[in-house]
Amino acid sequence: MSYRTFTEFEPFFLELIDDHGRAAFSDAHVSPGSSSETRAGAWAYCLAKLNGINSDTLHGVKARLMTSLGESKVAATLLVTALEALEGSGWLKIKEHSEQELIVPISGTDQSEIELELETLFQNGFSTFKVKVGKDVLSDIKRTNTILKVLDGRGSIRLDANRAYSVDDAITFANGITRSGVDLFEQPCDADAWDDNASVARNSPIPLMLDEPICSLRDIERASDIANVKYCKVKLKRFGSLDALAEGIELIHRNGMLAVLGDGLGSEINNWMEASVAARLIKTKGEFNGFLKHIDKLFENPLPFANGRITLEKGYVPILDTDAIERVTVEKKIIEY
């Protein structure tokens, strides 16, 4: 990320088993620095809410959790999506063959590194790349133009500042890109700085995508009123449920924008859920690529990926690798009702 390099991945995992032995699962990752949510707070929320579940219906439990979304959004999403999976949510049912191209980041800094890295990524089937910016305007401009020079029309890039720029720096950066091949400029200024991001949008030759501010239907409506905001980034962990995520995507499209879906800091569990929704609703290349970065895998039948694409065949259902789950678990709580 522009603000932090992650060397460890520490998601919360939840498995639910009902009285008939049916099981379902979900996971979610609190990313320190992404919001005010903390891992300690999320863990406490999970324990409190799970201990508080009574004999209510699944629908009733989900409804109560959604009203508490503001307390710990990622943790609430973990609980609600596990309940949706236990109910057999239609969003997780793959009804027909689906291929979804993913984007991946470029980490090279000088031209020789970039050339080698891009050739490898091309060979692996990728054609759109995430470029992190936001540390130093002049060096960001130089590196971005170098990447575009090396690409030479063979692919495109998405620029992501992760909220790191001031208004002036963001405008300077956007206007310093002299080569074609940029799809969008993601989240130049702070999540709460709507006016600052709107100012950048008005003065940028590159269309903007808002990311961290997009957490509700109201946020989507607000973004649609800003000229040159052409994309909204959505992530499952911000919307609380599969149903709410789908509703948000549909609203983005009704408002004349394009939805980009995916968490680059998600596991294959989270990315599977996002890919399942994307298979029916998303019109852009996916950013649910976090699972590509992890050494440990959690499915016996891994999320099918080759040639830069997730391929979901009709009826695909992931099977947990329980040994892998146990191997990587560092803390566990079992609650019985």
Side-chain angles (χ1 to χ4, degrees), residues 88-100 242 271-281 288 301 303-304 310-318:
S89 169
W91 294 112
L92 299 179
K93 294 184 182 349
I94 306 303
K95 297 181 179 180
E96 58 185 31
H97 175 91
S98 167
E99 291 189 15
Q100 300 168 77
L242 294 162
N271 289 163
W272 155 64
M273 289 186 165
E274 291 185 329
S276 297
V277 174
R280 291 165 60 181
L281 297 179
F288 29 90
N301 54 339
L303 196 58
I310 291 176
T311 300
L312 297 176
E313 298 294 348
K314 180 179 178 180
Y316 172 77
V317 177

Side-chain angles (χ1 to χ4, degrees), residues 147-257:
I147 290 170
L148 291 169
K149 175 184 176 182
V150 174
L151 275 175
D152 193 27
R154 295 177 296 167
S156 64
I157 62 174
R158 297 175 182 176
L159 301 166
D160 184 6
N162 284 129
R163 304 164 287 144
Y165 280 137
S166 66
V167 174
D168 290 342
D169 283 350
I171 294 172
T172 297
F173 170 76
N175 285 277
I177 307 308
T178 58
R179 294 177 175 271
S180 62
V182 181
D183 293 337
L184 57 85
F185 182 16
E186 180 179 348
Q187 201 58 47
C189 304
D190 282 344
D192 295 330
W194 285 86
D195 290 343
D196 288 352
N197 286 298
S199 180
V200 176
R202 286 193 301 271
N203 292 280
S204 171
I206 305 167
L208 257 63
M209 176 166 74
L210 296 184
D211 178 5
E212 283 84 358
I214 307 302
C215 302
S216 68
L217 301 183
R218 183 179 179 183
D219 297 330
I220 293 167
E221 296 282 8
R222 188 173 182 181
S224 71
D225 290 332
I226 302 175
N228 202 33
V229 172
K230 304 295 185 183
Y231 302 84
C232 284
K233 174 82 166 285
V234 289
K235 298 175 182 176
L236 176 57
K237 68 182 182 183
R238 292 206 192 108
F239 275 76
S241 73
L242 294 162
D243 287 339
L245 174 65
E247 186 179 4
I249 293 168
E250 291 170 334
L251 181 61
I252 290 167
H253 293 161
R254 287 201 301 273
N255 276 281
M257 300 178 291

Side-chain angles (χ1 to χ4, degrees), residues 8-13 27-30 39 265-267 294 298:
E8 294 178 330
F9 186 72
E10 302 174 275
F12 296 99
F13 168 81
D27 82 342
H29 178 255
V30 174
R39 288 172 176 161
L265 284 173
S267 75
H294 306 143
L298 304 179

